[in-house]
Amino acid sequence: MDLRRQIIERWPSRWPVQAFGEPAWARQEPTYGDCAPGLIDAALKRADARPAGNWFVLAGSREIVAGKPFGRTVGGQELVAWRDSGGALVVGPGACPHLGAPLAGARVHCGELVCRWHGLRVGPGQPGWSPVPSHDDGVLAWVRLDRLGGEAPADRPVLGARPHGGTVIDAVATVVGVCEPEDVVANRLDPWHGAWFHPYSFARLRVLAAPRSLDVADADDRFVVEVTFRLAGRLGVPVIAEFACPEPRTVLMTIVEGEGVGSVVETHATPLGPGADGRPRTAVIEATIASSCRPGFAQAAKVAPLLRPLMRRAAVRLWKDDLAYAERRYAMRTAGH
């Protein structure tokens, strides 16, 4: 018996980080047989049928800071967001009602915007400019766009369960791709690609359960995955996670067994509108909300500002690969393949 095998067999099972063995990448068990295109399409249709109340993720909450406007186009609508004098989120049209100047370049003064072109003051209650409904959940900033959504409006966004109890660290990463929201969601509803496409992050991935028909109860409409999050070499954190869609543009991954139970990764797909080439752009805004009751995690939370860039970097690395997947899907779908 070689030394590596001895280490794996004698590694304490109670430790959250485990030593593991795995075959070479090309010798993994193929997953294409289980990953039926019709299964993913059916899950996508069920997600699309759920109401979102016209809410779209605008940005991470921390991106909208006091004293500085934040601009983003959603569904072709130019928006500006800022914090009022009490720190509350304000969102509205991003063009000045005077001559159309970009309000993302305005100055914040006494909780309102002052346009840099001619000094017009813009904010709730000011003539010619009206805010749109917005919501800050502490991790993400949302905006309600009724014309874009086309549904019956809801008072609040549809949120999945988030960690409660223990220590929590969150980070938000954003990447943009040439595709539509459904292509991003379809990517996340294919857990079978994880260990093949992202071997640097995932190992020993096995789909334990998947909905196999179009008519599935909401409680059963989820993919259950056993996976090891790779840390370094042959060390990783084994967990069981569930993937589900609370609304059409969100996929929620929740750890249900193993280290960090209750921790979630929320993947939100926000349509931005067409780019200069006329093709659609979609922002993937992903919130990682990690939770643990371990004392060591509480100590790590004290340096959360240092950890968040590392968490964002890990998410962006994954999505650089997965956006290639989503963009390829969009290109083939719109070409009629």
Side-chain angles (χ1 to χ4, degrees):
M1 181 182 296
D2 62 29
L3 179 60
R4 185 176 62 188
R5 176 65 62 185
Q6 293 181 44
I7 292 173
I8 291 172
E9 291 186 355
R10 296 178 183 179
W11 197 274
S13 60
R14 66 183 182 278
W15 289 4
V17 176
Q18 291 291 304
F20 64 89
E22 63 174 345
W25 179 84
R27 296 186 180 278
Q28 297 180 91
E29 188 68 28
T31 56
Y32 64 86
D34 293 326
C35 181
L39 189 155
I40 296 172
D41 289 343
L44 198 60
K45 289 178 181 177
R46 291 192 299 271
D48 192 55
R50 298 189 175 105
N54 302 330
W55 288 95
F56 299 81
V57 173
L58 180 66
S61 294
R62 290 186 185 85
E63 292 182 77
I64 306 171
V65 299
K68 186 177 180 181
F70 174 92
R72 176 159 281 159
T73 298
V74 177
Q77 300 181 44
E78 186 181 8
L79 299 171
V80 64
W82 75 95
R83 302 284 179 184
D84 67 15
S85 54
L89 178 67
V90 182
V91 184
C96 179
H98 176 222
L99 286 177
L103 291 175
R107 301 283 178 82
V108 179
H109 179 258
C110 296
E112 295 180 323
L113 295 185
V114 179
C115 179
R116 295 180 63 224
W117 279 19
H118 300 95
L120 179 67
R121 187 171 287 270
V122 174
Q126 295 288 355
W129 189 94
S130 298
V132 296
S134 59
H135 178 75
D136 187 343
D137 64 30
V139 177
L140 298 168
W142 300 71
V143 62
R144 198 184 81 194
L145 302 174
D146 293 337
R147 184 177 299 178
L148 178 62
E151 301 176 6
D155 292 337
R156 291 287 184 270
V158 178
L159 290 174
R162 286 181 172 173
H164 58 277
T167 304
V168 175
I169 303 175
D170 65 86
V172 178
T174 301
V175 292
V176 176
V178 180
C179 59
E180 294 178 326
E182 71 168 82
D183 303 300
V184 172
V185 174
N187 169 271
R188 293 293 278 167
L189 292 177
D190 168 16
W192 290 276
H193 78 271
W196 285 103
F197 208 42
H198 309 291
Y200 49 84
S201 290
F202 306 117
R204 300 194 304 175
L205 189 151
R206 186 164 62 101
V207 178
L208 303 179
R212 294 288 175 179
S213 68
L214 185 61
D215 185 17
V216 177
D218 285 350
D220 299 322
D221 195 5
R222 60 196 66 246
F223 296 80
V224 183
V225 177
E226 180 182 55
V227 62
T228 294
F229 294 113
R230 189 191 295 274
L231 297 179
R234 298 302 178 104
L235 295 178
V237 180
V239 301
I240 294 179
E242 292 183 347
F243 291 78
C245 293
E247 53 108 292
R249 292 176 294 276
T250 298
V251 181
L252 182 70
M253 186 207 78
T254 305
I255 295 178
V256 294
E257 288 187 30
E259 181 65 15
V261 168
S263 298
V264 300
V265 176
E266 296 179 3
T267 303
H268 303 274
T270 296
L272 302 181
D277 57 5
R279 295 185 296 170
R281 299 300 193 271
T282 294
V284 180
I285 305 176
E286 188 164 273
T288 301
I289 310 173
S291 173
S292 177
C293 294
R294 292 183 182 272
F297 194 83
Q299 293 300 315
K302 295 179 181 179
V303 292
L306 300 178
L307 294 177
R308 288 192 183 100
L310 300 177
M311 295 168 68
R312 285 194 293 269
R313 190 181 306 165
V316 168
R317 182 184 185 187
L318 285 168
W319 271 107
K320 282 184 176 179
D321 282 347
D322 275 340
L323 269 179
Y325 182 123
E327 289 177 336
R328 173 73 173 174
R329 182 184 187 276
Y330 166 76
M332 295 184 66
R333 179 167 57 82
T334 54
H337 292 293

